C-alpha cells in the first residue's frame, strides 16, 4: 500500500492533493487517532509546541520569531559569547522556573498513570512533564535546572548558581526591562547589553560552567538516545506531540517506529519532517488533542 493511501492528515488549511484528507474534520481526525492507538502501549515524543500553552515560545512553530541560538562551538570558544549567554540565561531562568504545566502535560501524565505509555521522550528542557507528575521521562536535550562543569564534570543545581550570579550581579535582572527580554525555549533571553555581567566559575574547581542542555552542534548523550530507543522498541505505537522533528535527535524515533511497523500519530501545528512516515497527522492544538486522547483511549 502506498504511503499516500495509508495515512491521513487533518489540517485547518486548504487540502493538499495526496497529503490531506479533505473530508476529515477535527473530531473525525481525533476519532481516527483513538482507533489507531486504542489497546496499544505508546511511546510519547514531545517538543516545544507542547509547552507553548505554558507561555514558552517555540523555535519553529507557524508564529515563531526567527532566532539564532548559540552553538556549542561558540559557547566553549568565546568568553565574550559565553558571558552574553549567561547574562541572558540569568534572566531566562527566572521565567522558566516560574512556568507551570499545561493541560497537555497533565494529559500525558494521565496516560502514563493508566499504564498506556512505555515512556516519555521530550526534546524540551523545561521539566514540565515531571512537574505534571510524569515519572518515566527522558529529558533528551537535558534540563534547565542543572549546570555542569566542563573541567571537572561537577553537577551544580541551577538554583544554587542563580544565588551566586545574583550576588555577583546585584540588581542585574531587575534592571532589564520586560520590553527588552524575549524568552526562548532553552531558558534563554534576549537582552540589549550584557557587557558588565560577571560570569560565575565552577564552585568546585573554578572551571567553566555550562547549562546541562544540548546546544546546537552538540551531540545528545548516548545513554539518553539508547533509553529513548528502548521506549520506542517496547511500544506498540508512537505519539508525537508538538515537535516539527526538524532535527535528527527526534526524527530518528519516528523512523524507528516506522521501521517497526507500529502506528505513528503526529499532532503539531504545521508540517514536520516525519510527515511521510506518519499514519495520522493532525495539525491542531496540541494540549486539546492530548486531553481528548487521555479521555477517550481505553485501558489496555
Amino acid at each position: 500500500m502506498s504511503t499516500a493511501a495509508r495515512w491521513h492528515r487533518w489540517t485547518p488549511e486548504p487540502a493538499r492533493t495526496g497529503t490531506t484528507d479533505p473530508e476529515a474534520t477535527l473530531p473525525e481526525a481525533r476519532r481516527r487517532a483513538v482507533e489507531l492507538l486504542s489497546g496499544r502501549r505508546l511511546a510519547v515524543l514531545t517538543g516545544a509546541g507542547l509547552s507553548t500553552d505554558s507561555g514558552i515560545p517555540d523555535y519553529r512553530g507557524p508564529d515563531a520569531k526567527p532566532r539564532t541560538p548559540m552553538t556549542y562551538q561558540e559557547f566553549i570558544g568565546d568568553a565574550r559569547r559565553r558571558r552574553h549567554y549567561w547574562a541572558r540565561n540569568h534572566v531566562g531562568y527566572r521565567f522558566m522556573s516560574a512556568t507551570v504545566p499545561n493541560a497537555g502535560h497533565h494529559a500525558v501524565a494521565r496516560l502514563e498513570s493508566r499504564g498506556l505509555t512505555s515512556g516519555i521522550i521530550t526534546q524540551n528542557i523545561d521539566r514540565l512533564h515531571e512537574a505534571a507528575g510524569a515519572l518515566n521521562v527522558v529529558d533528551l536535550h537535558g534540563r534547565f535546572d542543572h549546570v555542569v562543569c566542563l573541567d571537572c564534570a561537577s553537577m551544580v543545581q541551577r538554583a544554587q548558581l542563580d544565588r551566586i550570579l545574583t550576588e555577583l550581579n546585584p540588581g542585574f535582572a531587575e534592571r532589564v526591562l520586560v520590553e527588552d527580554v524575549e524568552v526562548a525555549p532553552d531558558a534563554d533571553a534576549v537582552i540589549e547589553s550584557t557587557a558588565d555581567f560577571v560570569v560565575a566559575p565552577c564552585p568546585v574547581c573554578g572551571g567553566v560552567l555550562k547549562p546541562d542542555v544540548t546546544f546546537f552542534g552538540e551531540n545528545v548523550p548516548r545513554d539518553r538516545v539508547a533509553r529513548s530507543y528502548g521506549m520506542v522498541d517496547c511500544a506498540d505505537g508512537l505519539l508525537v506531540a508538538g515537535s516539527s522533528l526538524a532535527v535528527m535527535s527526534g526524527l530518528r524515533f519516528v523512523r524507528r517506529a516506522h521501521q517497526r511497523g507500529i502506528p505513528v500519530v503526529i499532532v503539531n501545528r504545521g508540517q514536520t519532517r516525519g510527515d511521510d512516515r506518519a499514519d495520522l497527522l493532525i495539525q491542531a492544538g496540541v494540549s486539546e488533542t492530548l486531553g481528548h486522547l487521555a479521555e477517550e483511549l481505553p485501558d489496555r
Side-chain angles (χ1 to χ4, degrees):
M1 182 181 294
S2 70
T3 299
R6 74 175 180 85
W7 61 264
H8 301 275
R9 178 200 303 259
W10 183 88
T11 171
E13 301 172 353
R16 299 186 178 96
T17 303
T19 61
T20 305
D21 180 358
E23 302 302 320
T25 62
L26 179 54
E28 172 66 11
R30 288 175 174 169
R31 184 189 64 79
R32 290 178 182 174
V34 171
E35 288 181 353
L36 273 173
L37 301 178
S38 288
R40 298 179 183 273
R41 194 173 184 220
L42 308 176
V44 181
L45 171 64
T46 67
L50 175 58
S51 292
T52 54
D53 285 346
S54 292
I56 304 173
D58 62 3
Y59 277 122
R60 299 183 179 89
D63 302 319
K65 297 180 180 179
R67 294 188 179 92
T68 305
M70 187 172 295
T71 67
Y72 177 71
Q73 291 73 20
E74 289 172 331
F75 183 87
I76 64 173
D78 189 333
R80 293 173 302 174
R81 301 278 291 175
R82 198 157 54 242
R83 180 187 65 222
H84 185 62
Y85 181 92
W86 275 118
R88 296 157 64 190
N89 186 277
H90 183 50
V91 179
Y93 170 75
R94 305 290 182 89
F95 174 87
M96 189 74 80
S97 59
T99 58
V100 296
N102 62 55
H105 297 105
H106 288 293
V108 173
R110 289 201 303 275
L111 290 173
E112 182 190 60
S113 69
R114 293 173 55 205
L116 298 183
T117 66
S118 63
I120 301 159
I121 309 161
T122 185
Q123 296 173 278
N124 302 332
I125 66 167
D126 51 38
R127 300 283 290 172
L128 292 180
H129 280 298
E130 291 86 349
L135 301 175
N136 190 18
V137 182
V138 173
D139 296 299
L140 193 64
H141 293 163
R143 42 192 292 181
F144 84 102
D145 59 343
H146 281 174
V147 177
V148 63
C149 177
L150 296 179
D151 294 281
C152 71
S154 294
M155 193 70 70
V156 180
Q157 293 292 320
R158 184 61 182 81
Q160 176 187 352
L161 181 61
D162 184 64
R163 292 191 291 270
I164 296 173
L165 289 174
T166 299
E167 291 176 1
L168 291 174
N169 301 275
F172 178 85
E174 291 73 18
R175 289 199 310 269
V176 178
L177 298 177
V178 173
E179 298 83 33
D180 295 332
V181 179
E182 179 187 357
V183 178
D186 56 357
D188 208 346
V190 178
I191 302 175
E192 287 296 321
S193 175
T194 59
D196 61 344
F197 191 81
V198 180
V199 177
C202 172
V204 177
C205 74
V208 174
L209 293 175
K210 171 188 170 293
D212 187 27
V213 301
T214 302
F215 279 56
F216 283 83
E218 185 179 11
N219 293 324
V220 176
R222 291 183 180 180
D223 60 330
R224 295 179 200 164
V225 176
R227 186 180 165 201
S228 299
Y229 272 133
M231 291 176 171
V232 176
D233 291 344
C234 290
D236 306 309
L238 175 64
L239 174 61
V240 180
S243 176
S244 65
L245 303 170
V247 293
M248 185 55 66
S249 64
L251 180 62
R252 58 183 142 196
F253 303 118
V254 173
R255 292 180 173 178
R256 180 70 150 245
H258 181 73
Q259 291 169 355
R260 292 191 56 228
I262 62 176
V264 176
V265 173
I266 299 178
V267 183
N268 189 61
R269 290 192 182 277
Q271 295 180 326
T272 83
R273 283 182 67 195
D275 285 2
D276 60 343
R277 290 174 171 83
D279 295 272
L280 178 65
L281 307 171
I282 304 177
Q283 291 191 12
V286 177
S287 295
E288 297 88 344
T289 301
L290 289 176
H292 178 82
L293 292 175
E295 290 293 328
E296 297 298 325
L297 283 176
D299 293 332
R300 297 175 68 241

